Amino acid sequence: MAPALNLIGAGHVGRVFGRLWAQQGGFRIQQVLTRSAASAQQAVDFIGAGSVATAYAQLQPAAVHVLAVGDDQIVAASAALARAVPLKDSIVFHCSGALASDQLGAARDAGALVASVHPIRSFADPGAVAAQFSGTFCGIEGDPGALVVLTPALQAIGAQPVPIDASAKTVYHAAAVFASNYLVTVLDAALRAYQAAGIPEPVARQLAQPLASESMANVFRLGAAAALSGPIARGDLATVARQQQAVSQWDADTGALYQALVGPTTALAARKRQK
């Protein structure tokens, strides 16, 4: 029989992990604990396995406990779990991208092996994610004994575990913000600049799309330095200065964003020349 797993918190990430392990093996979903019996039942229904728990005191011992709760709840959940369930030789892990496994100190002090497992993708539609999870990268770190168990269990559901440095967990999470959130912010600046030149927004998107798509494709195919083009890559600092002035006159905040990107882009151009 597969090792028992208790799920504490059942947002999108926890539900997806629960469904995949229930369907494909690795762990046996035992209990699901959330803030209400109704939400726990909804999670059990989505997962297709497990039983509802309405309090930590109702939890039974398990080989693995997943804390799929918000970042601000991880420490408290770890402490509550340690008070309620014998944890010696069990595994406790959380799914935060921003926090390291050291947030599970109460569980570790109670004898558990601790880890963090962060799936690197959007979970807006958990049903679709569960159906298309294969190939998803997961940043993992924690006690070696925990990772020895979790790594093959993740691989069994199609994940690609990637070990990360726990001391750099916040920087690791910031990488996703750069690659996703801030990329959108920069593209928004481009679209607004086109509109400032009299181009309607729908047309601006059509103009920006091939530039953005080709640039991203080149980054992932060649690397960032080799993909860089434009005035800074050419050493045309006069053009950069004129653009900086013009953008700042049009919109001060966007001008500040432009200026903030000059230094890092200059350093990237230097790396390109060294190759």
Side-chain angles (χ1 to χ4, degrees), residues 2 5 13 30 66-67 84 101 109 130-131 146 154 162 193-194 199 203 219 226 229 249 253 269:
L5 179 148
V13 176
Q30 179 172 265
V66 184
L67 301 186
S101 58
D109 291 344
L154 290 166
V162 178
Y194 274 136
I199 299 171
V203 179
V219 167
S229 61
Q249 289 175 347
D253 288 342

Side-chain angles (χ1 to χ4, degrees), residues 1-274:
M1 182 179 295
L5 179 148
N6 286 339
L7 180 61
I8 294 92
H12 291 176
V13 176
R15 292 184 183 199
V16 168
F17 273 143
R19 174 182 281 190
L20 291 172
W21 275 318
Q23 291 178 345
Q24 301 181 36
F27 297 122
R28 172 174 53 88
I29 309 305
Q30 179 172 265
Q31 290 175 286
V32 178
L33 170 64
T34 68
R35 291 178 176 176
S36 71
S39 63
Q41 186 61 58
Q42 290 173 357
V44 167
D45 293 341
F46 179 89
I47 292 167
S51 62
V52 170
T54 57
Y56 281 92
Q58 296 178 1
L59 291 176
Q60 301 169 7
V64 179
H65 302 270
V66 184
L67 301 186
V69 298
D71 287 7
D72 61 345
Q73 302 172 49
I74 288 174
V75 171
S78 173
L81 181 65
R83 290 192 298 267
V85 182
L87 293 180
K88 183 173 175 55
D89 299 327
S90 65
I91 294 171
V92 178
F93 74 89
H94 68 65
C95 302
S96 170
L99 300 176
S101 58
D102 61 4
Q103 299 297 300
L104 302 173
R108 177 179 276 153
D109 291 344
L113 298 172
V114 302
S116 71
V117 176
H118 173 239
I120 307 170
R121 66 178 301 167
S122 169
F123 279 78
D125 183 344
V129 173
Q132 303 168 6
F133 191 79
S134 182
T136 297
F137 287 95
C138 291
I140 61 171
E141 56 84 14
D143 293 329
L147 299 183
V148 164
V149 174
L150 293 175
T151 297
L154 290 166
Q155 292 170 333
I157 60 174
Q160 298 188 59
V162 178
I164 61 175
D165 181 351
S167 67
K169 189 71 180 285
T170 302
V171 175
Y172 153 86
H173 193 246
V177 174
F178 278 115
S180 178
N181 310 144
Y182 289 160
L183 178 61
V184 173
T185 302
V186 170
L187 289 174
D188 175 67
L191 296 177
R192 289 187 293 103
Y194 274 136
Q195 291 171 76
I199 299 171
E201 196 272 345
V203 179
R205 280 188 272 129
Q206 294 178 33
L207 292 178
Q209 183 175 3
L211 287 172
S213 298
E214 291 169 12
S215 294
M216 285 194 293
N218 287 337
V219 167
F220 298 130
R221 183 169 60 91
L222 304 171
L228 183 65
S229 61
I232 291 180
R234 296 193 300 269
D236 185 359
L237 299 185
T239 294
V240 174
R242 287 196 301 272
Q243 289 181 352
Q244 169 66 50
Q245 182 178 13
V247 173
S248 295
Q249 289 175 347
W250 157 58
D251 184 85
D253 288 342
T254 307
L257 176 62
Y258 186 104
Q259 181 60 45
L261 293 171
V262 170
T265 306
T266 300
L268 183 58
R271 283 164 46 196
K272 178 173 183 173
R273 290 192 293 271
Q274 292 170 1

